Amino acid sequence: MRNYSPAPNAPDAMNGCVGRYIHILSCRDYWEAPNTPYGINLLLTTMTDGIYILGNDVVFDHLIALLNSLEVNAAPNIPVCIIPYNDNLQKVRLEIASRSNVTLFENTDSIQYWEDFATKAWTSHEKAQKTWQAKGWAPVHCLGMHRKFCCFDGDFDKFVYFDADTLSMGSLDYIYQKLDEFDWVANDFQYKSDLNYVFDLSSEKLAEIFPIDKLESQIFCAGWFASKKGILNRYNSAELLNKLMSGEAEVLSLRGTDQPLFNYLVARSSISFYNFAYHQREQVTGNHWSSQFEVIDCILYDRGRRLTYLHYMSISAAKFTQLCAGEDVEIPYRDVFLHYRYLHSPQTQPQLAPPSLWVSLQRNFKSWGIQRVNNVLFKLRILINKN
């Protein structure tokens, strides 16, 4: 288990347990305490803060940019664990090998447990199954996204989770500190969006389970949040799964992947929850790429306040791959992204140029062809279901 350096000028952790290190009794390490009767050994270890990221080779350029931004803007040696979205990890593994503070989550029992959990939850959602079957989708839409639940089985006692399509812009200390008061911390404006992105408002069960007027203060974006090890575990997740399978799954919105399930679990289990963007509306910054921010030395500011993170949610990873291949792709805060992507290898940053006419034609034809095929398949499924 790795630990990172305490804050500058913080007293040594062993003198009063101050700073980022907190000592507890453990059999992992021990020291002979002076002046203790009978030579009693006081056992200690450290509480570890860390960061989880869900990723694979598809979002490799995102991942490099995020890791570099964490290094220079959050904490240079903070331990980071990459949760594999799937087995497409060749480039990710090579990158992990080059960074001493980055590891790969390889607890296959945890991965299997949470995939089974998500599968049972969503397959008990009759509306979801009917809708997804009509579209030709798998029984669980984007099953790999649900692997982020593995955060609760990892080594970090307190953690911040980042989707790979994110850039770190500032310190996370205030987030970890708030976890001393709450078990779940968010900092986003999901509550300003349509609640149907999280819960199905057409479900009559929703009002039976949750007070609708209070849901706004409880919802959050599952692409960035902070929590603690074991907050969701085998015991409480089994109880929650029983509720979902007994009919409560119908309250989950189909307009997301893992996000409806995350929000349900937090609200249904009454986990203590705090959202900076909801409770400190005038003090916090935005974090979505669609907002207008000021750029100073590749750091983003909102009305003079430094962002904690920038989220590129809903922008295709393919666009960033094309950008890093040298194509002149329009992406918000493109120069900021490129700065962090090539922070340690600026000589490899490509000179941007528009894609060739042939490449553009190929992409347009491919997109048109895929849409036509999908339309035909959709109509066929409708005819089959009618018969």
Side-chain angles (χ1 to χ4, degrees), residues 100-118:
S100 61
N101 65 315
V102 183
T103 58
L104 182 67
F105 187 88
E106 297 185 287
N107 184 339
T108 54
D109 289 339
S110 173
I111 291 172
Q112 188 63 55
Y113 176 83
W114 289 112
E115 285 193 345
D116 289 346
F117 176 90

Side-chain angles (χ1 to χ4, degrees), residues 52 83 147-154 159 161 225 229:
Y52 290 105
I83 298 174
R147 288 188 174 192
K148 65 178 72 172
F149 283 106
C150 294
C151 292
F152 302 98
D153 296 332
F159 63 83
Y161 169 81
F225 62 88
K229 181 177 182 177

Side-chain angles (χ1 to χ4, degrees), residues 54 85 118-119 121-122 125 128 132 137 139-149 161 163 196-198 221-223 252-264 313:
L54 183 70
Y85 179 87
T119 300
W122 282 112
H125 193 314
W132 294 344
W137 292 359
V140 183
H141 184 43
C142 297
L143 179 60
M145 292 295 293
H146 297 78
R147 288 188 174 192
K148 65 178 72 172
F149 283 106
Y161 169 81
D163 271 354
N196 272 303
Y197 282 107
V198 177
C221 174
L252 303 179
S253 170
L254 305 190
R255 298 170 70 180
T257 53
D258 56 295
Q259 183 160 286
L261 190 54
F262 263 104
N263 276 266
Y264 169 88
M313 60 191 299

Side-chain angles (χ1 to χ4, degrees), residues 331-351:
I331 292 174
Y333 307 104
R334 183 176 69 182
D335 291 342
V336 175
F337 174 82
L338 289 171
H339 167 77
Y340 291 109
R341 171 60 181 88
Y342 296 100
L343 183 70
H344 296 307
S345 56
Q347 71 282 0
T348 65
Q349 181 172 332
Q351 296 295 316

Side-chain angles (χ1 to χ4, degrees), residues 84-283:
Y85 179 87
N86 55 21
D87 294 331
N88 183 10
L89 298 167
Q90 183 176 358
K91 292 190 289 185
V92 170
R93 289 182 182 277
L94 290 174
E95 185 62 29
I96 288 173
S98 71
R99 295 177 183 256
S100 61
N101 65 315
V102 183
T103 58
L104 182 67
F105 187 88
E106 297 185 287
N107 184 339
T108 54
D109 289 339
S110 173
I111 291 172
Q112 188 63 55
Y113 176 83
W114 289 112
E115 285 193 345
D116 289 346
F117 176 90
T119 300
K120 291 175 182 177
W122 282 112
T123 52
S124 64
H125 193 314
E126 293 182 8
K127 183 178 179 180
Q129 293 307 299
K130 184 176 180 180
T131 302
W132 294 344
Q133 184 179 13
K135 293 182 177 181
W137 292 359
V140 183
H141 184 43
C142 297
L143 179 60
M145 292 295 293
H146 297 78
R147 288 188 174 192
K148 65 178 72 172
F149 283 106
C150 294
C151 292
F152 302 98
D153 296 332
D155 289 335
F156 307 143
D157 298 283
K158 294 192 292 185
F159 63 83
V160 180
Y161 169 81
F162 284 77
D163 271 354
D165 59 343
T166 311
L167 292 176
S168 173
M169 290 284 122
S171 172
L172 299 172
D173 286 349
Y174 76 103
I175 301 294
Y176 289 114
Q177 290 166 9
K178 186 58 72 172
L179 284 173
D180 292 332
E181 305 174 51
F182 297 88
D183 289 332
W184 201 288
V185 176
N187 187 7
D188 66 74
F189 292 90
Q190 185 67 43
Y191 66 88
K192 288 190 173 184
S193 300
D194 188 343
L195 194 60
N196 272 303
Y197 282 107
V198 177
F199 293 109
D200 186 348
L201 295 181
S202 68
S203 169
E204 294 182 358
K205 278 187 178 290
L206 187 61
E208 299 173 9
I209 301 170
F210 302 116
I212 303 298
D213 59 332
K214 293 184 179 179
L215 274 182
E216 179 185 278
S217 65
Q218 293 292 314
I219 64 173
F220 61 95
C221 174
W224 193 99
F225 62 88
S227 189
K228 304 172 186 175
K229 181 177 182 177
I231 290 301
L232 291 175
N233 52 62
R234 301 296 184 271
Y235 175 74
N236 61 15
S237 65
E239 289 188 333
L240 291 163
L241 183 59
N242 286 334
K243 290 182 171 67
L244 286 163
M245 296 178 68
S246 68
E248 292 190 11
E250 74 172 51
V251 306
L252 303 179
S253 170
L254 305 190
R255 298 170 70 180
T257 53
D258 56 295
Q259 183 160 286
L261 190 54
F262 263 104
N263 276 266
Y264 169 88
L265 296 180
V266 173
R268 194 70 171 100
S269 56
S270 300
I271 293 171
S272 58
F273 175 84
Y274 187 89
N275 185 353
F276 280 94
Y278 183 85
H279 294 97
Q280 299 185 22
R281 304 187 189 197
E282 300 304 318
Q283 286 74 45

